[in-house]
Amino acid sequence: MMRAVTLLVVCLAPATAWVIPTFPRTASRASSRLQMSMSTSTGNMHGENSCFLPLQQMDQDFYAPRIVQIAGSYPGLTAEDVGAVTSEPAPEPGQWTYDFSDPEGPQMGTVAIEGSSVVYGCDEPIVIIAEHFSIGVELPSEITDPVDLVVLVDRARTSFKERKFLVIDVPGEGVTIGAYPAKKDMPDNAIILGQVEMVQIPWLPSMVSTKTGFMEADEYF
C-alpha cells in the first residue's frame, strides 16, 4: 500500500524534489489507488522478483545544477534585456527542481550551471553570454576568434563592492561589465544591475589538459 501512495506523491508534486503532500491521505483513497495500480500494471515494481530500479540518493550536501535564463549577448546588451528574464529559487541542498517554459511568455534561452555553493547563493541569477575579449579574459594565443563565455550574474546584488565585477547601465552607452577600485571610479549616473558571481570558460582543443593535482597547474589558459 505504501508503494502506491508514494508513487502518486511523486507524480502529482509541484516542481521540486521533495514535497510534503497537501491532499488528505485516507485509507479508502489509498486502497482504491493501490487496486488501480495493481490492475493496470503488468510489470514488477521496484524490489519485486529481484527487480531493482537504478536509484541514486542525493547527499544532503549535494548542490544540483541550476537552470538559469540567458539575458543576451555582451557587448550590445541593454538594461531592459537584463531585467526581462526571470529567476527561480535555488533548490535546497540535496534536492532539485525542474521547470517548463511558459508558451504565453517570452521565449528565453536557458543554460544549466553546475551546482555549487556560489550558484546556490544567487538570489536572482541570470546568464550573460560574453565574448572573452569583451571582459578581458585571456585565452591561448592560438585562439583568434571570439569565444563565448557563460557569465553568471546575481541581479539581487546591486550594491557597490570594490574590485568586484559589476554589470552596470551607463546612460548613453548601455550595459557594461567591469570592476572598479572605488565607487568614485564608476561612470557618472551608472546604475548597478547585478554582480558577476562566476564565469565559465569552455574547453577548446588548443587548451592542453594537465592533471597534476595542483589547481595552479591544472588551468587550461
Side-chain angles (χ1 to χ4, degrees), residues 70-83:
I70 300 172
S73 298
Y74 177 84
L77 206 63
T78 66
E80 290 73 18
D81 294 332
V82 175

Side-chain angles (χ1 to χ4, degrees), residues 118-161:
V118 172
V119 178
Y120 171 74
C122 293
D123 292 326
E124 289 190 43
I126 66 168
V127 162
I128 295 173
I129 304 299
E131 297 177 354
H132 76 283
F133 293 122
S134 67
I135 55 177
V137 174
E138 294 185 0
L139 297 181
S141 58
E142 294 84 356
I143 301 175
T144 57
D145 294 327
V147 175
D148 288 342
L149 308 183
V150 174
V151 181
L152 180 67
V153 178
D154 190 354
R155 290 185 304 187
R157 302 190 179 188
T158 56
S159 300
F160 176 82
K161 290 187 178 180

Side-chain angles (χ1 to χ4, degrees), residues 15 18 28 30 38 44 49-50 60 71 74 77 94 101 118 123 130-131 138 141 155 159 183 194 203 207 212:
W18 182 260
S28 60
M38 294 177 63
N44 294 301
N49 296 326
S50 300
Q60 62 182 5
Y74 177 84
L77 206 63
S101 60
V118 172
D123 292 326
E131 297 177 354
E138 294 185 0
S141 58
R155 290 185 304 187
S159 300
K183 191 171 183 178
W203 185 87
M207 298 175 177
T212 65

Side-chain angles (χ1 to χ4, degrees), residues 8-29:
L8 184 63
V9 171
V10 173
C11 293
L12 296 183
T16 185
W18 182 260
V19 175
I20 299 175
T22 56
F23 53 82
R25 294 186 295 175
T26 62
S28 60
R29 176 176 297 184

Side-chain angles (χ1 to χ4, degrees), residues 35-120:
Q35 293 175 359
M36 181 181 298
S37 175
M38 294 177 63
S39 63
T40 58
S41 176
T42 57
N44 294 301
M45 299 184 70
H46 175 66
E48 294 180 344
N49 296 326
S50 300
C51 297
F52 301 95
L53 288 167
L55 303 178
Q56 181 183 31
Q57 172 66 58
M58 300 295 101
D59 187 79
Q60 62 182 5
D61 297 325
F62 170 76
Y63 289 104
R66 191 168 182 181
I67 299 175
V68 183
Q69 288 193 355
I70 300 172
S73 298
Y74 177 84
L77 206 63
T78 66
E80 290 73 18
D81 294 332
V82 175
V85 295
T86 59
S87 300
E88 299 297 331
E92 292 297 322
Q95 304 178 19
W96 68 89
T97 58
Y98 56 87
D99 184 35
F100 295 99
S101 60
D102 181 9
E104 304 297 330
Q107 298 303 301
M108 302 291 184
T110 58
V111 60
I113 306 294
E114 182 180 7
S116 67
S117 59
V118 172
V119 178
Y120 171 74

